[in-house]
Amino acid sequence: MRARLTAAAIALTTVIGAALGSGTAAAVPVAPALPFPVPPAIPEFDQDFYLPSPATYVDKAPGELIAARRVHLAALSVIPINVDAWQISFRSTNTRGEPIPAVATVLKPKGPAKPGPSKLVSWQSAEDSTALYCAPSYALQQASIPGALTGSADSAYEVLQITSLIGAGWSVVIPDHQGPESAFAAGPLAGRITLDAIRGARDFSPLGLKRDLRVGLMGYSGGAIATGWAAELHESYAPELPIVGAAEGGVPADIRAMVDLANNNAASGLILAGIIGVSREYPELERFLRRHLNPLGKALLASKNPLCLTYQSALAPFLNIKGLVNLPGDPLDYPTPRKVLGQLKMGANVPDFPMFVYQSNPDWVAPVGPVNELVRTYCADPDASVRYVRDHFSEHVSLAIEGFAPAIVWMRDRLDGKPTGVGCTTADQGSMSLDPKTWRAFVNLVGNNLALLINQELGNPPRLP
């Protein structure tokens, strides 16, 4: 059984974390929002906020705020979202233990916080890109270049799910979890940035979060990379954060298995983008690729470097990824790729809070086998709490939609303090959408987006005249 912190140690780290966090937000001025219709600068041209001088953050603690500004959010860049919203930048930590800057979007229902415990959901988008302009912090802003043009499909369209989180009355933090180098699929990095974004949101006074905070993690596909790693790193990296549960679906539990499945398959373009992203965080893999890729491989890496999800997927499907490497045998068996991809495999640490994992059995992007293995690994620990659902009538894309309502129902119970108990359950379902317990959440999803269209305040009941 894995080593656990004692209750006394957890209490001590919580007190210390609260003491360190208090007062940091007061020292960070909040810049006003841009007047509409002035468009926000894309991150590559907004380096003072996204890529500040190391002198501004190198001496800060992980999660400590660097800067903040109010922003206007919009669905599909056009339809205003009637919430209070800000961007925060904060100090985080890369895979080599070095300080880096990171950015997140924080939002809440308009007006003062509701009575009762503060509830914060960290939503990890499936950014799946190799450029900063694909990040959710940019894609969610009003007057940003629409995702239909940039190709940042998930960062743009997931707002239709984020509305349900706000509609439930919760605060939300959305980290740019790929970091300043857009290191897509570099899981440990994404996990640290996610946890530090929660620290930053907790200490950002305009958000109004109280010390009786409860935090949930949610993410699908590329967002599940950040969610899963944040769950596994919580106990060692940010044990003071009061995370009460994590819901993840379409889980990329083993990047090597995803490369094996994508080779000569429809997802090869997307998975090749993941290889590029990982090489940005692991220089030894970048050197390996530069040394051994054939001319076609080098041309593809150059052309895919600045692209968002849609174009990544569309460029080079059904590609022989392994054939781009001029080496005999399987290139993933060579020491450098084997070592790096091995470090990206989930399951090294068992999350110390309840997990809800859902997966399409015929998933053609993130194979179900490694997810089965991940759940077995977690559940070998007698203290683990995991609910695992395999959906048999979906595939990778459709489960992102039909799995959301069950995930938010499960998360609501965790944020409300309902216990799950210790132990694991596995359920095989035809379709998760057929569970009557989740239908109200589907109705709320539609209702929140209808409210969005008429500019109603999300998360607050209509005011009577």
Side-chain angles (χ1 to χ4, degrees):
M1 184 176 71
R2 70 187 189 280
R4 287 187 174 274
L5 294 171
T6 65
I10 293 175
L12 179 61
T13 54
T14 301
V15 171
I16 292 173
L20 290 175
S22 61
T24 58
V28 178
V30 179
L34 293 171
F36 182 80
V38 177
I42 66 172
E44 283 83 351
F45 295 101
D46 191 10
Q47 296 203 1
D48 286 345
F49 193 83
Y50 282 87
L51 299 169
S53 165
T56 63
Y57 61 83
V58 68
D59 293 327
K60 293 183 180 292
E64 189 173 347
L65 295 170
I66 302 169
R69 60 191 181 189
R70 186 176 276 275
V71 292
H72 297 305
L73 303 187
L76 310 180
S77 306
V78 176
I79 306 169
I81 303 174
N82 201 347
V83 296
D84 287 329
W86 302 264
Q87 286 177 351
I88 57 173
S89 68
F90 52 92
R91 189 264 206 201
S92 192
T93 308
N94 68 12
T95 308
R96 295 173 296 282
E98 301 163 342
I100 57 170
V103 171
T105 305
V106 293
L107 52 157
K108 71 174 184 67
K110 279 197 168 181
K114 293 183 177 181
S118 291
K119 298 172 183 178
L120 174 70
V121 170
S122 182
W123 175 270
Q124 287 62 250
S125 288
E127 185 179 335
D128 297 6
S129 71
T130 54
L132 282 177
Y133 70 88
C134 313
S137 63
Y138 176 73
L140 292 173
Q141 288 190 75
Q142 189 174 27
S144 62
I145 301 172
L149 297 178
T150 64
S152 55
D154 275 32
S155 293
Y157 290 103
E158 283 182 357
V159 70
L160 303 178
Q161 296 175 319
I162 293 168
T163 55
S164 282
L165 307 180
I166 296 295
W170 306 334
S171 297
V172 180
V173 54
I174 307 166
D176 292 356
H177 55 77
Q178 293 185 177
E181 300 295 329
S182 298
F184 169 33
L189 171 74
R192 291 187 181 95
I193 291 175
T194 296
L195 293 169
D196 285 328
I198 297 170
R199 284 169 161 157
R202 174 200 61 190
D203 296 332
F204 184 58
S205 56
L207 206 55
L209 298 176
K210 299 180 284 295
R211 289 301 169 183
D212 56 356
L213 178 64
R214 296 174 185 163
V215 182
L217 303 171
M218 296 184 73
Y220 188 87
S221 190
I225 295 176
T227 301
W229 276 99
E232 292 199 14
L233 291 172
H234 172 252
E235 191 171 23
S236 61
Y237 186 75
E240 82 281 3
L241 293 178
I243 300 177
V244 296
E248 59 180 3
V251 183
D254 185 345
I255 301 298
R256 170 162 185 167
M258 295 179 71
V259 178
D260 290 337
L261 178 62
N263 204 51
N264 296 307
N265 204 339
S268 59
L270 179 62
I271 301 307
L272 182 56
I275 295 173
I276 297 171
V278 170
S279 71
R280 294 178 175 182
E281 187 65 13
Y282 294 85
E284 62 270 37
L285 181 61
E286 192 274 334
R287 291 191 294 268
F288 176 89
L289 295 174
R290 190 172 62 243
R291 187 179 306 119
H292 297 295
L293 281 178
N294 62 28
L296 175 59
K298 292 178 180 179
L300 281 172
L301 258 65
S303 61
K304 292 173 76 67
N305 255 318
L307 300 180
C308 303
L309 183 151
T310 303
Y311 299 124
Q312 293 287 9
S313 300
L315 181 58
F318 303 101
L319 175 72
N320 181 0
I321 300 174
K322 297 181 181 181
L324 300 175
V325 181
N326 281 328
L327 288 171
D330 189 335
L332 302 186
D333 287 333
Y334 284 78
T336 295
R338 186 173 66 246
K339 175 186 175 183
V340 171
L341 297 184
Q343 292 174 347
L344 302 180
K345 186 176 180 180
M346 295 182 185
N349 300 290
V350 180
D352 56 347
F353 44 74
M355 300 287 294
F356 176 46
V357 181
Y358 56 104
Q359 188 76 17
S360 165
N361 199 58
D363 196 308
W364 54 278
V365 178
V368 71
V371 185
N372 293 338
E373 180 185 350
L374 177 67
V375 172
R376 285 194 298 268
T377 299
Y378 287 166
C379 294
D381 187 322
D383 293 328
S385 176
V386 182
R387 179 186 175 194
Y388 180 33
V389 178
R390 285 186 295 246
D391 187 295
H392 291 261
F393 294 166
S394 66
E395 45 74 54
H396 188 78
V397 177
S398 61
L399 187 63
I401 300 169
E402 68 176 81
F404 175 74
I408 198 173
V409 169
W410 183 89
M411 183 57 69
R412 183 188 299 275
D413 287 345
R414 305 292 76 74
L415 293 174
D416 286 345
K418 296 182 180 179
T420 59
V422 175
C424 299
T425 61
T426 297
D428 288 281
Q429 298 181 3
S431 173
M432 296 176 71
S433 64
L434 298 179
D435 183 354
K437 296 178 182 177
T438 68
W439 291 350
R440 182 177 178 181
F442 277 115
V443 172
N444 288 341
L445 176 64
V446 174
N448 286 320
N449 285 294
L450 289 175
L452 178 72
L453 291 175
I454 61 174
N455 203 33
Q456 182 177 314
E457 291 183 4
L458 296 177
N460 288 317
R463 293 189 179 92
L464 297 176

